[in-house]
Amino acid sequence: MDQNQSGIGQGHSELPVPHRTRILAMLLMGTGLLILGIVVLLILHNSGDSINNQTDFSVTPLKMDFPAPDLQLHDLQSQPVSLVDYRDQVVLVNNWATWCPPCRAEMPTLNDYYQAHRQQNFVMVGIESGESIDEVADFVNKLSLSFIIWLDPNGSALDAFHNNALPSSYVIDPQGTVVLGWTGPISRSQLEKYVTPLFK
């Protein structure tokens, strides 16, 4: 009996050793996984920063070389307007729509850029695709946009530039040649890098 009790006692005294080993191993594994998770999060965070810092690469403009189309539309006062009226100036044409999220997102950037350079022989023309004059005017007022807005109920500008994507933007030099084109929203850094030098 004593031997059995002793055996049982010995058995109980020996079980915690592998049990403690398993717990220690699990703790070490958990700690390792936690450290690995932190490292992965840091890498992803840094990668995210790098991607955010390089988002301009996706909207770098294409160099172009063709005569600006002779667009004839109407402004918010229902007056006839034409791109030819802005010859001898640098013109940025932005095709957009009130219902287009990336178009809406880039409006403050475009407006700020225009305000900063409007005295440098520079004109910005936003051509809204398809909405009514009241809808467009309301949108322009809410965002306090100061650059020129034209109405394009039939998509004439999209056809003229052979690009149905919104937003899309084009830079016309003072000689009336389209020299740059973007599809997608434009960052301020891209505008400063590619458009500002044309003012000189």
Side-chain angles (χ1 to χ4, degrees), residues 84-91 121 173-176:
V84 176
D85 296 338
Y86 299 103
R87 193 62 55 87
D88 300 325
Q89 299 180 74
V90 175
V91 182
N121 202 38
D173 70 12
Q175 291 71 47

Side-chain angles (χ1 to χ4, degrees), residues 2-200:
D2 289 340
Q3 288 179 353
N4 290 338
Q5 288 177 346
S6 176
I8 293 172
Q10 287 176 0
H12 279 289
S13 66
E14 290 172 0
L15 282 176
V17 175
H19 186 63
R20 284 196 302 267
T21 302
R22 282 197 300 272
I23 290 175
L24 182 59
M26 290 175 65
L27 285 174
L28 288 174
M29 185 181 300
T31 303
L33 289 173
L34 179 62
I35 292 171
L36 180 62
I38 291 171
V39 170
V40 169
L41 285 175
L42 288 173
I43 291 172
L44 289 175
H45 176 71
N46 291 334
S47 297
D49 288 344
S50 298
I51 291 169
N52 289 334
N53 291 334
Q54 296 177 5
T55 50
D56 290 351
F57 288 114
S58 65
V59 290
T60 299
L62 294 175
K63 290 184 178 180
M64 298 186 169
D65 183 13
F66 63 89
D70 183 18
L71 276 174
Q72 298 184 13
L73 299 169
H74 288 84
D75 62 19
L76 290 176
Q77 288 72 46
S78 298
Q79 296 299 309
V81 288
S82 173
L83 276 181
V84 176
D85 296 338
Y86 299 103
R87 193 62 55 87
D88 300 325
Q89 299 180 74
V90 175
V91 182
L92 190 150
V93 174
N94 175 253
N95 292 319
W96 67 286
T98 60
W99 48 262
C100 163
C103 301
R104 298 167 68 98
E106 75 173 347
M107 283 294 163
T109 297
L110 294 175
N111 199 57
D112 289 347
Y113 182 77
Y114 173 68
Q115 287 290 345
H117 297 286
R118 62 189 303 176
Q119 303 299 327
Q120 296 177 267
N121 202 38
F122 172 60
V123 176
M124 186 179 294
V125 179
I127 303 179
E128 204 285 337
S129 299
E131 301 305 307
S132 71
I133 187 169
D134 291 336
E135 289 175 293
V136 178
D138 184 59
F139 180 89
V140 168
N141 290 334
K142 282 181 179 177
L143 271 68
S144 300
L145 301 179
S146 57
F147 55 88
I148 297 166
I149 300 293
W150 293 354
L151 301 170
D152 186 14
N154 301 314
S156 300
L158 301 178
D159 293 339
F161 286 101
H162 307 289
N163 185 356
N164 290 321
L166 294 174
S168 57
S169 302
Y170 302 88
V171 177
I172 304 168
D173 70 12
Q175 291 71 47
T177 301
V178 178
V179 294
L180 295 172
W182 279 270
T183 296
I186 310 174
S187 69
R188 179 66 180 265
S189 61
Q190 290 286 307
L191 289 167
E192 296 290 359
K193 181 177 181 180
Y194 292 99
V195 182
T196 303
L198 298 176
F199 305 152
K200 300 174 183 177

